[in-house]
Amino acid sequence: MMSGRKMMSGRKMMSGRKMISVPLKENERMDYLPVRRLKIIQSEDVFVFSLDAILLAQFTYLPLQKGKIMDLCTGNGAIPLMLSMRTKARIDGVDIQHRLVDMAKRSVRFNQLADQIDIRQLDVRDVPAVYGYGSYDVVTCNPPYLPGYAGQYNDNPHLALARHELKGTLEDFVRVAGDIVRPRGKIAFVHRPARMLELLTLMRRYRLEPKRLRFVYPKPGREANMMLVEGMKDGSADLRLLPPLFVYREDDCYTQEMEQILGDESRWGMGRE
């Protein structure tokens, strides 16, 4: 759908002695990420990262210096880019959509992180065969939230794939995470609370013991609309229910915790749920 479009003018960034220039395609823009000075290529026609990606990147355990991290369903690479500010470990990311992978690769190049981050186009279900079993210390995943049979699909095929399980089920994503993480390694998911029991059941089925669970609420008095779950491969049973995270106060301003997470929101382009 996007092929054949004319390239627009690129963007340049000075870092040290190098100047990096990457092309922006039609209807793309360069936005700030809520971490230091990183930027990301986005398009309303294809994909725009949202709060769930930010919270998952902030929630998950990470080794500080060494190790390997895999981000499944990486989209336009927002999570690997944000994780790179918390660790020096190697970060891989995979997504089935060529257009998103192309955007992610250009963002990685723009931010001069190609030595740390590698993004590839790949069906998540093929990841163990390509990357190896038990080869990662940490696996993160922000999967499509809706089953393939649920509701109507978006007319935009990029958005339909991002929102519905059309190229893999929740079980596929959990199974693959369990296959590629090492024993005692960590996995982290963000998902909707409506699928909590399904997710936790699948995690245990694939030897990923739930260890930390946190619910995210739009504001006090509302039902939770997100949950963050961390598990350990072959871990012992010991689930901690963390304090709730409220996004907004009653006056519709961000809570103090959210302000600390987001920083200066006016400088970057997060999509709205």
Side-chain angles (χ1 to χ4, degrees):
M1 187 176 90
M2 296 294 177
S3 61
R5 288 184 168 178
K6 184 179 179 180
M7 291 287 186
M8 300 176 69
S9 60
R11 295 291 189 271
K12 295 182 178 180
M13 180 177 72
M14 179 68 74
S15 177
R17 294 175 296 174
K18 296 181 180 180
M19 179 171 283
I20 302 298
S21 179
V22 297
L24 290 182
K25 298 181 180 180
E26 189 174 348
N27 296 326
E28 289 184 345
R29 67 176 191 252
M30 190 75 77
D31 287 329
Y32 279 100
L33 283 165
V35 283
R36 299 186 186 179
R37 296 181 180 179
L38 293 187
K39 287 188 173 183
I40 187 169
I41 297 171
Q42 308 208 94
S43 171
E44 295 286 352
D45 294 342
V46 183
F47 187 86
V48 176
F49 78 91
S50 53
L51 182 60
D52 50 3
I54 297 169
L55 295 181
L56 180 61
Q58 184 269 343
F59 172 79
T60 188
Y61 158 84
L62 291 177
L64 295 179
Q65 299 291 334
K66 299 179 180 179
K68 292 175 62 180
I69 301 163
M70 169 63 79
D71 183 45
L72 304 174
C73 308
T74 199
N76 63 344
I79 290 175
L81 288 169
M82 289 186 281
L83 293 181
S84 73
M85 293 293 97
R86 296 182 52 210
T87 180
K88 294 181 180 179
R90 176 72 181 181
I91 305 171
D92 293 319
V94 298
D95 198 278
I96 199 168
Q97 297 198 56
H98 170 76
R99 185 74 166 85
L100 293 181
V101 170
D102 176 62
M103 293 166 66
K105 283 178 173 290
R106 284 181 284 132
S107 293
V108 169
R109 182 168 176 265
F110 180 90
N111 291 290
Q112 301 192 57
L113 289 168
D115 290 341
Q116 183 181 11
I117 300 174
D118 181 63
I119 309 292
R120 298 188 193 181
Q121 181 185 5
L122 189 66
D123 189 315
V124 166
R125 294 167 291 189
D126 295 329
V127 166
V130 174
Y131 286 90
Y133 291 80
S135 55
Y136 285 90
D137 300 283
V138 177
V139 179
T140 57
C141 186
N142 181 5
Y145 289 162
L146 301 175
Y149 57 80
Q152 293 184 336
Y153 303 151
N154 195 293
D155 292 336
N156 183 320
H158 299 291
L159 299 181
L161 279 170
R163 296 171 181 173
H164 286 81
E165 296 170 354
L166 302 179
K167 296 293 184 178
T169 64
L170 181 57
E171 182 166 6
D172 290 326
F173 304 136
V174 174
R175 173 180 53 80
V176 168
D179 283 344
I180 64 174
V181 73
R182 65 169 175 79
R184 310 292 292 179
K186 302 290 185 64
I187 64 95
F189 279 82
V190 59
H191 219 294
R192 289 184 174 177
R195 301 188 72 181
M196 179 186 71
L197 291 180
E198 180 182 2
L199 177 56
L200 296 183
T201 299
L202 288 170
M203 287 174 63
R204 279 195 152 179
R205 180 180 300 172
Y206 292 99
R207 298 161 48 201
L208 300 170
E209 186 62 33
K211 286 292 189 177
R212 294 194 298 144
L213 175 63
R214 191 175 197 189
F215 292 104
V216 181
Y217 298 79
K219 62 171 57 176
R222 300 280 187 87
E223 293 184 0
N225 60 355
M226 269 187 276
M227 65 175 184
L228 299 156
V229 184
E230 183 182 78
M232 176 186 289
K233 178 73 171 284
D234 295 330
S236 58
D238 182 22
L239 176 62
R240 295 169 52 205
L241 184 59
L242 303 181
L245 172 58
F246 296 102
V247 178
Y248 294 102
R249 306 191 307 246
E250 291 289 359
D251 60 3
D252 291 328
C253 294
Y254 283 124
T255 61
Q256 183 177 359
E257 183 173 7
M258 283 304 305
E259 287 179 345
Q260 293 172 348
I261 292 172
L262 298 177
D264 185 2
E265 187 200 8
S266 65
R267 299 178 65 238
W268 48 272
M270 179 179 69
R272 298 297 180 180
E273 289 291 331

